[in-house]
Amino acid sequence: MKKTLPVAFGMFVGCYMVAEYFIPHHAVRDLSAHVLEWGGVVAASAYVIGGINLVQVTWPKIRRREPDWGFKVVLLGSALVMALVGLPWRSLYGTHEPGYLDPLPGPDLAAQKNNKAIVFVDAPDDVVLTLGSITTSTKHMLASCSQRSPLPCVFVDPGELSLKAGRSVVGYDTFEKKVNLAAGDMVTLAANPGMRWGADGRFRTWIYDHVFAPCNATMFALLAFFVASAAFRAFRARNVEAALLLGSAIIVLLAQAPIGRWLTTSLPHLSDWILDILSNGSRRAIIMGAAVGAIATGLRVILGIERSHLGGDS
Amino acid sequence: MKRILVTLVVLGGVARAEEIHPEIVEKAPKSTQWMVEMLFDQGFFSGRGVEPDGRHIGISWTRDPAVPTPVLVLRSQLPDGTDVKGRSIRVVDQGGTVLIPRFLYPSTPKVYHSAYDPSVNPLPVGTKIGEWTVVASVDGDAPDPIVDEVDPGTYVYALVPAVRGTRPDTYTGFPGDAVVTWSVSPHAAWFNRRRWFHLALIAIIAGSLFGFTWLAKRKELFVRRLAGVDAIEDAVGRSTEMGRPVLYVTGVEETQDIQTIASLLILGHVAKIAAEYDTDIRVANAFPLTMVIAEEVVRQGYANAGRADAHRPENVMFITSEQFAFAAGVNGMILRERPATNIYFGRFYAESLMLAETGFLTGAVQIAGTGELTQLPFFISACDFTLLGEELFACSAYLTREPNQLALLKAGDVMKVVIAVLVVGFTVCATLAADNLYPFTRFSIEDVLP
């Protein structure tokens, strides 16, 4: 029962997913979408187990002061910090609107005469404002447009106006609204976007951009040296096959460099021929073989022929 | 073929003119005849790369006499099963340019609604006005159908001749006669005929499987030697002699990836061998779900070897889902613990060479296997043994030597032969067609294969 039930369930779901590929009916697709959502939920919940595993593996090494245990402290500390800054703390104490619009009564006659509307802005200096096609901040606005308000302001054309207020750095709220203004209309845009917490919050984004991304780029950059080292070993002509590989590599490398064209104009054509005919043919053969192998593996699991993952050799 | 051909002869415009300005009747242009075609059939959708899933309706029309005026196509949903006849419709008042409420809200003609001025309010595709949704705006007729994506239900379409404004998606007038189509519902298919060849391949492999299973019970099937797989046991034995662990990496893709599945299937056998040799096996996973499954697989591997007590769950690790952080973590393990054997089975990307080169520096025996074509050269240059593409998928069956699994390997070989025959056949056909040799010029490969 311990093996039969999972195999039967796996067969049922597997056969359904295969059948789904051939059935375009929307009812089947909707059901599949639900099943895939469940899969997503299971995968997401596995991250909790992953976190527990991380502690289980790391903590004993710290406790026993195994070699390089300090790195494990950094690992656990970093994981803890990212978990903390990734939580939506603000939802605990509620959120406030990042801004609002406050229309002022009566038209401004001077602005009306000039066929303009006025937007007053009540926002800190570091708030970036987009008023239609104008991007500005309070520092760069007019000090006064009307006696009706002492706030910094800007004249805009009448009609529909898109207003947007946000900070110059990511991880803060954004206020967005559209408003229809007639000539002489006045409106106050008050905005003070707050800092977000969570996956797109300021702290997490900053750590990701300023700590993780550079480390990631460093690792990727190391690849160049690994490639050089591997190429040096691979291109030694120890036998006929290796010599052919070396010859092909020299032709393709030279064809990519200016010196190749300088030596002979037929080198790029030879390189293209190697890549398009010899290399491409072999690549396709491997791809087709792998595709057939993938189908066979899928069938083995779906039909319950392969059960080694459930505790049996077959 | 589920098609509906609707011919709408519009006379409404002439009738109105008679009532208001009788003298115009003689000068009135000939009424427009709309030939509207609604399409639901599978061939039509599949030919355009659209799934016949019951969420699409195709609509095309021509007008007689031909008019180059743009046509605004609008859609309205009706209660399911509603049967409405096609008819002409007034969308503006006589001489007006504003869409009238009676057109916009046909189901509530006695309730007050405001009119809609599309000369100042743009009507891009997707806009809702009243009970209608803008589907398309076409210059002239649409003999090539427009494909509209809808939820299952019943719909009518309005085809409204319009004059474009200066601003995008604005309209300054609606001359000529507009029509509303018959009510239509999209039809879903239960089999995607474009995928018949995929089904045929699965049927061939399934048929071959049964044939070879029958054969495998009667005689031993030959499977060519896979040096990389044979080397696994030797490599684990070497780890035992050196007193160092075996490192197994399951790739950097999620569990549902077929290469990760293949890797997990092989892991059970490797764990069993490691248990028999009393050697630690460390399994590095890039995803927690893979880690959970790998832990179970290793546990079973130890149990199969009769050494369940020797299994240490903490040896199966979740490192991280981030590609290069994972590479850094595994490289750290390789340099600190210096495993005598590194096995990389699964899907790998740029980190493949980082792992394999670091392993090479420590002098470990390295066995890799992946179906990721771009990474194969890196593994070949840095590892002692590499399983190329299909060998990764054959590895588990090769290790068990179980007749049913070997039969499936043979079935895969049959499919490869079928594919090879097709490739050669189609190459010959294409070559003959290129030489304008009849009847090959009459067919396109798209007619036969999806």
Side-chain angles (χ1 to χ4, degrees):
Chain A
M1 193 64 177
K2 191 183 165 191
K3 287 179 193 171
T4 310
L5 198 63
V7 168
F9 186 70
M11 277 179 74
F12 173 72
V13 176
C15 290
Y16 170 78
M17 294 312 282
V18 171
E20 187 260 359
Y21 179 72
F22 297 100
I23 303 172
H25 199 286
H26 57 82
V28 178
R29 292 293 158 91
D30 292 347
L31 183 60
S32 304
H34 279 300
V35 173
L36 292 174
E37 269 178 33
W38 297 341
V41 171
V42 171
S45 59
Y47 271 90
V48 177
I49 301 171
I52 294 168
N53 176 271
L54 188 75
V55 177
Q56 278 179 337
V57 170
T58 311
W59 180 247
K61 291 182 179 173
I62 296 172
R63 200 157 43 91
R64 291 196 293 264
R65 297 289 192 273
E66 287 188 9
D68 297 332
W69 65 274
F71 294 143
K72 308 292 176 194
V73 176
V74 174
L75 172 67
L76 280 187
S78 306
L80 185 67
V81 168
M82 286 306 275
L84 287 174
V85 300
L87 291 173
W89 292 106
R90 215 168 57 172
S91 60
L92 292 177
Y93 54 85
T95 56
H96 71 279
E97 284 296 317
Y100 61 89
L101 282 178
D102 185 16
L104 296 177
D108 181 89
L109 295 176
Q112 195 175 34
K113 194 178 168 187
N114 292 325
N115 195 30
K116 292 284 181 186
I118 304 173
V119 178
F120 296 101
V121 177
D122 182 7
D125 286 349
D126 63 335
V127 171
V128 178
L129 300 149
T130 307
L131 311 168
S133 58
I134 308 165
T135 300
T136 183
S137 69
T138 49
K139 282 187 289 190
H140 303 104
M141 287 182 174
L142 298 172
S144 175
C145 302
S146 167
Q147 292 178 340
R148 305 290 291 275
S149 173
L151 292 169
C153 51
V154 62
F155 288 105
V156 294
D157 290 328
E160 191 181 71
L161 180 69
S162 300
L163 298 165
K164 189 175 170 186
R167 307 271 175 182
S168 56
V169 289
V170 293
Y172 282 86
D173 288 331
T174 307
F175 172 73
E176 279 183 87
K177 199 145 192 173
K178 283 186 178 176
V179 63
N180 261 312
L181 295 172
D185 278 358
M186 293 177 290
V187 65
T188 301
L189 164 61
N192 191 9
M195 192 180 77
R196 280 199 298 259
W197 286 85
D200 58 349
R202 180 72 192 135
F203 273 106
R204 189 192 170 280
T205 314
W206 190 91
I207 294 172
Y208 197 93
D209 290 348
H210 293 85
V211 180
F212 181 77
C215 291
N216 223 18
T218 306
M219 279 301 292
F220 190 43
L222 284 175
L223 195 59
F225 301 100
F226 286 123
V227 169
S229 154
F232 180 73
R233 264 203 322 282
F235 293 155
R236 273 184 291 187
R238 286 166 298 189
N239 48 39
V240 178
E241 290 89 347
L244 284 173
L245 181 69
L246 176 62
S248 307
I250 289 171
I251 292 168
V252 174
L253 283 172
L254 279 177
Q256 305 295 323
I259 193 171
R261 289 176 191 278
W262 179 77
L263 285 171
T264 167
T265 51
S266 57
L267 206 57
H269 298 296
L270 186 59
S271 165
D272 288 347
W273 185 81
I274 289 171
L275 292 174
D276 293 344
I277 308 295
L278 298 181
S279 172
N280 218 11
S282 316
R283 284 159 55 93
R284 284 177 185 168
I286 295 173
I287 289 171
M288 283 182 191
V292 171
I295 293 172
T297 302
L299 278 177
R300 281 213 310 268
V301 176
I302 288 170
L303 299 177
I305 296 170
E306 173 73 74
R307 274 174 279 176
S308 58
H309 58 297
L310 296 170
D313 277 351
S314 58
Chain B
M1 295 282 276
K2 287 174 180 166
R3 285 166 180 246
I4 298 176
L5 188 65
V6 182
T7 305
L8 296 172
V9 182
V10 179
L11 299 167
V14 177
R16 281 200 308 278
E18 264 183 326
E19 288 166 13
I20 301 164
H21 300 293
E23 70 281 7
I24 294 176
V25 172
E26 289 175 13
K27 298 175 187 173
K30 187 184 167 191
S31 55
T32 309
Q33 191 178 47
W34 289 76
M35 304 282 286
V36 184
E37 198 174 12
M38 313 293 290
L39 299 111
F40 317 101
D41 69 293
Q42 163 151 192
F44 162 73
F45 285 124
S46 299
R48 283 159 177 78
V50 177
E51 290 265 300
D53 58 358
R55 291 185 184 277
H56 296 90
I57 294 172
I59 180 167
S60 71
W61 67 88
T62 52
R63 282 172 288 179
D64 183 23
V67 191
T69 325
V71 175
L72 189 64
V73 185
L74 304 163
R75 180 210 326 125
S76 175
Q77 186 165 14
L78 303 174
D80 273 352
T82 308
D83 188 20
V84 175
K85 300 288 181 203
R87 64 191 187 282
S88 65
I89 190 167
R90 269 177 65 188
V91 298
V92 292
D93 279 332
Q94 189 66 40
T97 58
V98 175
L99 293 168
I100 57 173
R102 214 175 76 182
F103 164 66
L104 296 175
Y105 299 91
S107 65
T108 52
K110 292 184 179 171
V111 179
Y112 171 77
H113 297 288
S114 55
Y116 191 89
D117 185 359
S119 64
V120 290
N121 300 304
L123 285 177
V125 171
T127 309
K128 286 186 183 299
I129 41 166
E131 295 172 13
W132 299 94
T133 303
V134 179
V135 172
S137 174
V138 181
D139 288 320
D141 291 342
D144 191 34
I146 294 164
V147 177
D148 183 27
E149 187 171 353
V150 294
D151 285 330
T154 305
Y155 298 90
V156 288
Y157 287 83
L159 306 174
V160 184
V163 175
R164 292 193 191 283
T166 48
R167 289 168 58 204
D169 300 316
T170 57
Y171 301 91
T172 53
F174 298 94
D177 308 311
V179 290
V180 171
T181 65
W182 265 288
S183 53
V184 289
S185 300
H187 294 261
W190 285 100
F191 178 67
N192 190 341
R193 291 203 296 263
R194 295 277 295 178
R195 292 182 175 164
W196 71 268
F197 188 70
H198 300 193
L199 190 62
L201 287 179
I202 291 179
I204 290 169
I205 201 168
S208 310
L209 170 66
F210 288 117
F212 280 108
T213 306
W214 179 83
L215 198 64
K217 287 173 183 166
R218 283 154 185 80
K219 61 177 274 196
E220 193 177 340
L221 297 176
F222 169 76
V223 179
R224 73 178 165 86
R225 196 173 154 261
L226 296 175
V229 186
D230 290 339
I232 291 176
E233 188 158 356
D234 296 340
V236 175
R238 181 174 177 265
S239 290
T240 311
E241 287 169 3
M242 296 176 78
R244 292 192 201 157
V246 174
L247 174 68
Y248 192 102
V249 185
T250 56
V252 293
E253 266 299 345
E254 297 201 50
T255 319
Q256 59 264 38
D257 187 88
I258 190 70
Q259 294 190 45
T260 310
I261 293 171
S263 177
L264 290 169
L265 295 176
I266 302 164
L267 174 61
H269 302 291
V270 178
K272 187 183 170 194
I273 296 168
E276 285 167 351
Y277 280 82
D278 196 16
T279 300
D280 270 355
I281 177 167
R282 307 279 162 85
V283 185
N285 300 283
F287 286 91
L289 195 57
T290 317
M291 182 270 294
V292 173
I293 298 168
E295 206 270 319
E296 189 61 27
V297 166
V298 172
R299 184 192 301 275
Q300 290 297 341
Y302 272 76
N304 288 344
R307 302 217 50 218
D309 56 312
H311 170 57
R312 294 172 61 194
E314 65 272 20
N315 279 350
V316 183
M317 289 158 279
F318 160 59
I319 308 286
T320 170
S321 312
E322 289 288 342
Q323 184 187 13
F324 292 112
F326 178 79
V330 177
N331 279 356
M333 282 172 64
I334 292 173
L335 291 172
R336 270 193 299 275
E337 301 178 17
R338 303 186 90 76
T341 304
N342 297 332
I343 300 174
Y344 313 107
F345 284 161
R347 197 184 287 277
F348 292 87
Y349 300 105
E351 73 291 336
S352 65
L353 191 62
M354 295 180 181
L355 304 179
E357 275 293 293
T358 309
F360 178 82
L361 290 176
T362 61
V365 171
Q366 301 202 98
I367 304 167
T370 184
E372 194 62 32
L373 202 66
T374 50
Q375 305 309 317
L376 281 173
F378 298 133
F379 276 141
I380 290 169
S381 62
C383 295
D384 299 282
F385 300 95
T386 306
L387 304 184
L388 306 176
E390 59 173 325
E391 293 176 345
L392 171 71
F393 300 110
C395 184
S396 179
Y398 184 87
L399 282 166
T400 59
R401 293 276 165 184
E402 203 269 326
N404 281 343
Q405 297 216 36
L406 293 180
L408 203 50
L409 285 188
K410 288 288 177 189
D413 287 345
V414 170
M415 199 149 101
K416 273 183 273 181
V417 171
V418 170
I419 290 170
V421 169
L422 285 174
V423 167
V424 173
F426 279 119
T427 305
V428 170
C429 290
T431 308
L432 295 174
D435 288 343
N436 287 326
L437 200 69
Y438 187 82
F440 298 102
T441 47
R442 290 188 58 196
F443 302 105
S444 154
I445 193 164
E446 279 77 24
D447 296 335
V448 186
L449 298 180

